[in-house]
Amino acid sequence: MDKFLVRGGRPLKGKIEIGGAKNSALPCLAATLLTAETVTLHNVPYVKDLITQRRLLEDLGATVLTPELRTHKVTAKNVQLFEAPYHLVKTMRASVLALGPLLARFGQAKVSLPGGCAIGTRPIDLHLKAFEQLGATVSLESGDVVARAPKGRLTGANIAFEKVTVTGTENVMMAASLADGKTIISNAAQEPEIEDLAELLNKMGARIKGAGTPTMEIEGVEALGGAQHTIIPDRIETGTFIVAAAITGGEIEVKGCNPDHIRAVIKELTSAGVDIEELNPSTLLVKRYPLFPTDMQAQYMALMTQAEGTSKITETIFENRFMHASELIRMGADIHISGNTATVSGPRKLAGAPIIASDLRASASLVLAALCASGETLIDRVYHIDRGYETIVRKLRSLGADIERITDNLATDEQGA
Ligand code: EPZ
């Protein structure tokens, strides 16, 4: 098996071009099964999953021409097979995206159940339930899901997903486009890839409204036709290179991306000390601030107790600047300290407790944690915070916080605020 040998320690510098979004190209290629006419897709990334998806289309009987490496011209005129076989589904779960189009256009589809995968069991029960709501009968036959539309056509329905599912939403969008009547999808996935698929389907003649919002309305049409479409840039690849610049302390120009698709990631990374500048609507210049300020370390740790996943925080300036960690732990945080690195697992619900501030920023961190904890937190030795924050109680109260200073000696300007 191939390996990567990486010798770290070099700041990455230069320019890279972002490719098309894998997770958009996969459903868009599946959508070509909805019509007998030719659909041309540009900016399809040349990656393994897309090669697999192309093979699936060819196995089903479609013709796929690639006049250029990243351009796929698909004609699914002569589809003879209506199933995604196990050997393909097991290597790539997105093969289930063939289900919706096959069922809608040919009234029948068979897909091997995906089974487990490295990131979990990942069932497709919500896809199947939605197909049933669209009028299909669904049965399990020797490990295969067999779906049939009784009179060859699906019927529009109100589909409320109990959990947000990306490929589930995509499967229903494709199926409903060729169903009789109107379909409303509620609790739909809202990813940019959903909007991209809707754009392609609408170019093919579908009538989809509301893509990118939780509720979509799809008016089924008799037939769909050919179209040309360019796949959106891959937002995950974009995010990965932003992190590459940040983690190595380098400077990378990330070209051909769409920053609007990763606003939340940009915001989060910016607050973590990454300098991200939008040179133009499709180019980001990414560098790391010379240093993430040690003075924000404690507050950042409080925030990370609420973040999904594991965060590692290394304090390189001061020994012993993790005093707030033990107090956060008393409030319910999951933090392990080893040397100068704290590992924070989140999100954890914090609960109020009596705690003690140990220094200026630690106090701020504990105040922040207390603001999101349930119940009452009593923070002792807040004289530390007075060293560096002017009227913090008053300022927080003006923002709606329920915080007060309990004092038994000198009146401060915050009293009564
Ligand atoms: C898509 O997978 C992406 N794949 C994944 O990207 C991505 O991680 C995921 O969405 C979440 O954003 C493609 O677009 C091809 P889900 P998908 O259905 O659609 C549960 C990558 O790294 N669920 O939104 O399969 C499910 O188990 C890949 O590029 C059901 O219970 O994900 C999960 O907990 C990995 N029943 C949750 O819903 C169902 O019928 C969301 O899954 C369907 C899903």
Side-chain angles (χ1 to χ4, degrees):
M1 265 196 256
D2 296 359
K3 299 181 178 68
F4 286 162
L5 176 64
V6 182
R7 295 191 184 88
R10 294 165 183 228
L12 303 188
K13 287 204 165 77
K15 300 176 182 183
I16 48 108
E17 192 78 35
I18 294 301
K22 164 182 88 75
N23 288 347
S24 179
L26 285 168
C28 287
L29 271 185
T32 64
L33 290 168
L34 285 162
T35 174
E37 292 180 24
T38 302
V39 176
T40 305
L41 297 175
H42 304 285
N43 206 27
V44 174
Y46 186 65
V47 299
K48 192 79 189 297
D49 276 7
L50 268 312
I51 297 170
T52 309
Q53 191 77 332
R54 175 187 172 166
R55 238 182 81 200
L56 170 64
L57 294 178
E58 288 174 333
D59 281 3
L60 298 176
T63 313
V64 186
L65 301 177
T66 48
E68 285 166 44
L69 189 63
R70 296 181 185 82
T71 297
H72 286 44
K73 284 180 90 155
V74 188
T75 313
K77 194 171 175 190
N78 301 312
V79 173
Q80 290 114 10
L81 196 73
F82 308 105
E83 68 171 279
Y86 185 58
H87 71 272
L88 290 182
V89 182
K90 81 167 192 256
T91 57
M92 190 189 64
R93 198 177 166 282
S95 329
V96 300
L97 285 165
L99 251 188
L102 288 175
L103 186 58
R105 181 160 156 225
F106 304 102
Q108 55 177 306
K110 187 161 125 182
V111 175
S112 283
L113 265 190
C117 81
I119 60 174
T121 320
R122 300 181 80 192
I124 55 162
D125 56 319
L126 300 176
H127 303 224
L128 303 182
K129 197 171 153 199
F131 291 140
E132 281 178 336
Q133 288 175 291
L134 292 170
T137 57
V138 178
S139 55
L140 188 64
E141 296 171 16
S142 0
D144 292 327
V145 172
V146 181
R148 286 192 187 84
K151 287 181 214 103
R153 296 275 298 181
L154 296 169
T155 317
N158 283 344
I159 293 170
F161 279 114
E162 48 195 76
K163 222 185 210 179
V164 178
T165 158
V166 177
T167 46
T169 303
E170 291 164 348
N171 244 335
V172 171
M173 286 163 72
M174 294 188 281
S177 291
L178 277 189
D180 291 329
K182 192 198 270 186
T183 297
I184 309 247
I185 310 179
S186 32
N187 201 22
Q190 300 170 56
E191 275 73 1
E193 291 77 18
I194 299 278
E195 289 184 70
D196 202 30
L197 175 65
E199 199 180 316
L200 167 67
L201 291 170
N202 285 341
K203 284 181 189 164
M204 292 166 68
R207 294 172 60 193
I208 303 176
K209 280 195 241 160
T213 75
T215 309
M216 252 186 272
E217 203 180 291
I218 304 169
E219 196 72 59
V221 297
E222 194 55 39
L224 293 169
Q228 293 249 6
H229 183 69
T230 302
I231 303 293
I232 55 170
D234 197 306
R235 63 193 166 102
I236 307 299
E237 189 192 14
T238 306
T240 307
F241 279 100
I242 293 177
V243 173
I247 212 163
T248 62
E251 183 171 327
I252 299 181
E253 210 174 293
V254 183
K255 295 163 77 78
C257 61
N258 186 339
D260 283 340
H261 291 164
I262 49 160
R263 286 283 164 221
V265 173
I266 290 178
K267 196 168 154 220
E268 208 50 47
L269 291 172
T270 303
S271 71
V274 186
D275 181 1
I276 305 173
E277 190 187 334
E278 279 184 55
L279 295 183
N280 62 50
S282 65
T283 308
L284 296 170
L285 178 66
V286 188
K287 26 189 182 178
R288 189 161 66 188
Y289 289 129
L291 279 177
F292 185 81
T294 171
D295 294 346
M296 273 300 294
Q297 180 261 104
Q299 300 89 316
Y300 190 68
M301 187 182 294
L303 179 63
M304 288 306 103
T305 66
Q306 301 306 300
E308 184 85 43
T310 304
S311 314
K312 277 194 192 295
I313 300 170
T314 303
E315 170 63 59
T316 56
I317 311 288
F318 299 107
E319 308 154 31
N320 219 1
R321 204 181 190 179
F322 283 145
M323 305 287 276
H324 44 284
S326 51
E327 303 303 296
L328 292 172
I329 291 168
R330 297 193 61 235
M331 297 174 75
D334 182 345
I335 303 171
H336 293 272
I337 309 280
S338 168
N340 64 348
T341 298
T343 305
V344 188
S345 303
R348 291 289 181 277
K349 279 198 164 45
L350 302 183
I355 49 178
I356 298 178
S358 52
D359 70 49
L360 170 57
R361 304 301 169 187
S363 319
S365 157
L366 298 181
V367 169
L368 293 171
L371 288 174
C372 81
S374 60
E376 255 179 32
T377 304
L378 189 63
I379 308 173
D380 202 354
R381 301 197 192 164
V382 292
Y383 56 83
H384 291 292
I385 213 165
D386 293 335
R387 287 179 27 230
Y389 290 90
E390 189 183 307
T391 59
I392 189 167
V393 169
R394 178 178 293 182
K395 285 181 179 167
L396 287 171
R397 282 177 73 104
S398 78
L399 297 171
D402 184 352
I403 177 171
E404 64 183 300
R405 178 183 291 260
I406 298 176
T407 179
D408 49 14
N409 43 45
L410 277 182
T412 74
D413 67 339
E414 297 194 341
Q415 279 190 317

